[in-house]
Amino acid sequence: MKAIVVHQYGGPEVLKFEDYPDPVPGSGEVLVQVAAASVNPIDYKRRAGLTKDFYPLQFPGLIGVDIAGTVFKLGPGGEGFSVGDQVFAMADNTYAELCVVKAAVLAKVPKGLDLVQAAALPLVTVTGNQLLQATGIEAGQTVLVVGAAGNVGRSAVFTARARGATVIAGVLKRQIVDEQGGDTKTVGADQAVATDDDTAIANLPPVDAVADTVGGRLAEKLIAKVKPGGCYSSVVGLPQNAAKYPSVNVVHVFSKFDRKTLEFMAEAVRDGKLVIPISLKLPLREAAEAQAMAEKGGSGKILLVA
């Protein structure tokens, strides 16, 4: 098969489109013919060696965590699937034409959802859902979602609204162009606040919870806005000054696979209730260009089509 092979840590230029041995499904595994993979920050951080202490690469190796495709072959015990099923998942080594995935972490693409579009969803939607769930927010309470215009943020906003909470979208000033939220309309929040405006943050009333996808110094400002007994959940590390707020429950969220959550979020995308924008689709061979573009930022997902 063809795959994006990494022979050493470095910049996007180390991503090589080469021949690589076809993977063989073992017990409880499924061989998937990849339709598309998506580019995530974890992919280019891993390529650069920034995760080698806890998520190293063995050279020559493959990268990629999001996958959508068609079941090509079943390993022994790969139950629940049939050849030809359209599937998606958070997996490993997905920048390739073929990928082995454990049946336990594979989900069927909901009918009516485009297979290539499905590749954009696993990591960001599950992470956003779990980030929000970690706050314990309930109907009638208010949550601030920081980085709401991003894909994890959008997923957290949707999950909060589904639970009946009031949602404040924490976005940059330039993303708020009118009273309705402007560029953040598709996020689905009740209101928005500019997180790069100190006055706006100072005027923000106390909230029951914060779901954070940004971190840094902003987190140190926003934890002060959480009511006693409230929660500050984050996927980007905890506020450095968290110890000053012992009445706030601080939670660091690590995304983990959950089939029901992925299916729930994907159905929301299919039904138009959740928008995960896709900015670009490139052939798999152009993974280096795709990662270089992704590292420059932007809210739309970049897909690699095999």
Side-chain angles (χ1 to χ4, degrees), residues 15-40:
L15 301 177
K16 306 297 183 181
F17 185 68
E18 300 176 350
D19 289 320
Y20 197 81
D22 289 359
V24 178
S27 178
E29 294 180 333
V30 175
L31 182 63
V32 176
Q33 184 171 16
V34 181
S38 79
V39 178
N40 289 294

Side-chain angles (χ1 to χ4, degrees), residues 148-150 154 157 169-193:
R154 289 168 177 266
V157 169
V171 295
L172 300 176
K173 190 184 301 182
R174 61 178 172 78
Q175 294 170 317
I176 306 176
V177 298
D178 61 29
E179 293 180 356
Q180 283 72 46
D183 292 343
T184 67
K185 283 181 180 178
T186 58
V187 171
D190 297 286
Q191 56 186 284
V193 61

Side-chain angles (χ1 to χ4, degrees), residues 12-299:
E13 70 279 358
V14 304
L15 301 177
K16 306 297 183 181
F17 185 68
E18 300 176 350
D19 289 320
Y20 197 81
D22 289 359
V24 178
S27 178
E29 294 180 333
V30 175
L31 182 63
V32 176
Q33 184 171 16
V34 181
S38 79
V39 178
N40 289 294
I42 188 64
D43 301 336
Y44 47 79
K45 289 178 181 178
R46 193 175 184 213
R47 178 215 74 217
L50 300 179
T51 67
K52 59 185 177 183
D53 290 340
F54 60 93
Y55 192 20
L57 265 169
Q58 298 297 323
F59 302 119
L62 309 183
I63 61 173
V65 295
D66 277 338
I67 182 176
T70 305
V71 173
F72 188 73
K73 185 178 181 180
L74 300 175
E79 300 175 352
F81 298 94
S82 301
V83 172
D85 283 346
Q86 292 192 340
V87 293
F88 63 150
M90 285 189 290
D92 204 2
N93 304 335
T94 65
Y95 285 21
E97 293 178 330
L98 295 170
C99 181
V100 165
V101 185
K102 293 185 182 298
V105 303
L106 202 58
K108 294 180 181 178
V109 175
K111 290 183 179 180
L113 179 64
D114 178 75
L115 180 60
V116 171
Q117 182 186 13
L121 307 183
L123 182 62
V124 296
T125 62
V126 171
T127 300
N129 180 283
Q130 293 176 349
L131 171 66
L132 192 285
Q133 297 282 7
T135 67
I137 203 76
E138 298 178 354
Q141 293 185 314
T142 299
V143 60
L144 169 65
V145 177
V146 189
N151 297 302
V152 174
R154 289 168 177 266
S155 301
V157 169
F158 167 76
T159 304
R161 291 296 302 274
R163 298 186 72 160
T166 297
V167 185
I168 302 172
V171 295
L172 300 176
K173 190 184 301 182
R174 61 178 172 78
Q175 294 170 317
I176 306 176
V177 298
D178 61 29
E179 293 180 356
Q180 283 72 46
D183 292 343
T184 67
K185 283 181 180 178
T186 58
V187 171
D190 297 286
Q191 56 186 284
V193 61
T195 52
D196 53 347
D197 183 335
D198 287 341
T199 300
I201 292 177
N203 293 332
L204 183 70
V207 296
D208 297 291
V210 170
D212 187 9
T213 71
V214 176
R217 292 186 177 180
L218 179 59
E220 296 178 24
K221 298 176 183 179
L222 294 178
I223 191 172
K225 293 296 180 177
V226 181
K227 297 176 182 178
C231 181
Y232 197 106
S233 68
S234 173
V235 291
V236 287
L238 305 181
Q240 293 295 311
N241 59 343
K244 295 181 179 180
Y245 301 90
S247 65
V248 176
N249 180 30
V250 181
V251 182
H252 193 183
V253 176
F254 296 92
S255 179
K256 58 183 179 180
F257 173 78
D258 183 272
R259 181 181 287 118
K260 290 185 178 180
T261 296
L262 179 54
E263 291 172 343
F264 171 71
M265 300 299 280
E267 288 168 2
V269 171
R270 177 198 62 192
D271 298 340
K273 298 176 181 178
L274 169 62
V275 177
I276 301 296
I278 296 172
S279 61
L280 189 63
K281 299 176 184 177
L282 292 174
L284 176 64
R285 66 171 61 245
E286 297 181 21
E289 179 183 349
Q291 285 204 357
M293 295 179 67
E295 286 184 271
K296 293 179 181 178
S299 60

